[in-house]
């Protein structure tokens, strides 16, 4: 199993890579900051950390590295939190 840092969240056209953990940490922090205004910062941080958990799948990792396949990565986090 690859290390968490080996999982890719985004890859740009010029091949810059954002690690999945880096992406989720940033989304979690930003969501928490916005939701702090109405008292739901902790809840939003948890959702932010889990929103792209589907990017851990082997199929998504193949797609983000260039394989032309369709992948639903976005519902896994909701299913996990449910």
């Amino acid at each position: 199993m690859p290390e968490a840092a080996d999982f890719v969240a985004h890859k740009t056209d010029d091949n810059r890579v954002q690690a999945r953990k880096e992406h989720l940490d940033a989304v979690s922090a930003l969501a928490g900051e916005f939701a702090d205004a109405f008292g739901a910062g902790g809840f939003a941080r948890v959702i932010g950390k889990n929103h792209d958990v589907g990017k851990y799948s082997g199929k998504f990792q193949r797609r983000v590295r260039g394989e032309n396949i369709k992948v639903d990565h976005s519902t896994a986090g909701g299913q996990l939190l449910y």
Side-chain angles (χ1 to χ4, degrees), residues 48-63:
K49 278 280 195 190
N50 288 280
H51 86 282
D52 268 349
V53 75
K55 288 185 175 182
Y56 269 128
S57 76
K59 192 172 181 181
F60 178 83
Q61 291 301 304
R62 291 194 324 267
R63 188 193 72 73

Side-chain angles (χ1 to χ4, degrees), residues 11 13 18 20 23 31 36 39 46 59 68-69 74 76 82:
K11 191 171 182 182
D13 290 338
Q18 183 182 36
R20 199 206 55 83
H23 172 67
D36 279 340
V46 169
K59 192 172 181 181
N68 188 18
I69 55 176
S74 60
Y82 180 75

